[in-house]
């Protein structure tokens, strides 16, 4: 399966009538493996800051998580494994695998929990595959 298929079929899929607004699989060095058409244009330093927070949990909390210039307030996550952010009625979930970051962005009516399940399920699968 191609990386684009993972994004199209496993991240941008329908969940209880709702869909993520954008999703991507990005290598930890910042290279895009695959993304949805409307995934925000991000800066390399934004990805570097996310990777750093996985290595040193809590570094994003004071400043927020930025992606494509959008600031998300960092909320509960799993140190070293998942970062979750909130902005108004939407938010972001980032799951770290051995080699990549799985990123899902959502807005109402999708719930944070639905986004978490979609992103984290694919991340766990890829980790099980050694990726």
């Amino acid at each position: 399966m191609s990386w684009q298929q993972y994004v199209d079929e496993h991240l941008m899929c329908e969940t209880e009538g709702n869909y993520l607004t954008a999703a991507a699989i990005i290598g930890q060095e910042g290279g895009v493996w695959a993304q949805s058409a409307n995934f925000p244009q991000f800066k390399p330093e934004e990805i570097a800051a996310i990777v750093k927070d996985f290595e040193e949990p809590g570094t994003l909390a004071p400043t927020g998580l930025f992606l494509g210039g959008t600031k998300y307030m960092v909320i509960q996550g799993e140190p070293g494994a998942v970062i979750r952010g909130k902005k108004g009625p939407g938010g972001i979930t980032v799951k770290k695998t051995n080699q990549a970051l799985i990123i899902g962005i959502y807005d109402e009516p999708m719930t944070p929990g639905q986004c978490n399940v979609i992103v984290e399920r694919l991340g766990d699968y890829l980790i099980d595959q050694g990726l």
Side-chain angles (χ1 to χ4, degrees):
M1 182 178 291
S2 76
W3 291 115
Q4 193 60 51
Q5 282 178 290
Y6 280 112
V7 170
D8 296 343
E9 298 173 16
H10 296 279
L11 294 174
M12 298 302 291
C13 60
E14 183 267 337
T15 301
E16 297 174 28
N18 300 319
Y19 296 86
L20 291 174
T21 48
I25 301 173
I26 299 175
Q28 291 183 23
E29 309 78 39
V32 175
W33 293 8
Q35 65 183 18
S36 61
N38 56 348
F39 193 78
Q41 184 66 43
F42 59 86
K43 297 180 181 138
E45 57 266 24
E46 293 173 329
I47 299 302
I50 292 169
V51 170
K52 181 178 181 193
D53 192 83
F54 281 119
E55 295 165 356
E56 301 171 37
T59 57
L60 285 178
T63 57
L65 182 158
F66 286 85
L67 189 71
T70 300
K71 179 180 180 178
Y72 297 89
M73 180 177 66
V74 177
I75 55 175
Q76 92 289 350
E78 297 166 30
V82 180
I83 299 170
R84 299 183 184 110
K86 188 90 174 110
K87 179 178 179 15
I92 188 168
T93 301
V94 184
K95 170 77 175 180
K96 180 181 176 282
T97 71
N98 299 331
Q99 300 173 18
L101 303 174
I102 313 301
I103 303 174
I105 300 171
Y106 69 94
D107 216 334
E108 285 185 337
M110 179 169 271
T111 66
Q114 289 171 327
C115 179
N116 295 343
V117 167
I118 291 169
V119 172
E120 293 173 38
R121 184 184 317 141
L122 178 58
D124 290 339
Y125 170 77
L126 294 175
I127 289 169
D128 289 345
Q129 301 303 307
L131 301 167

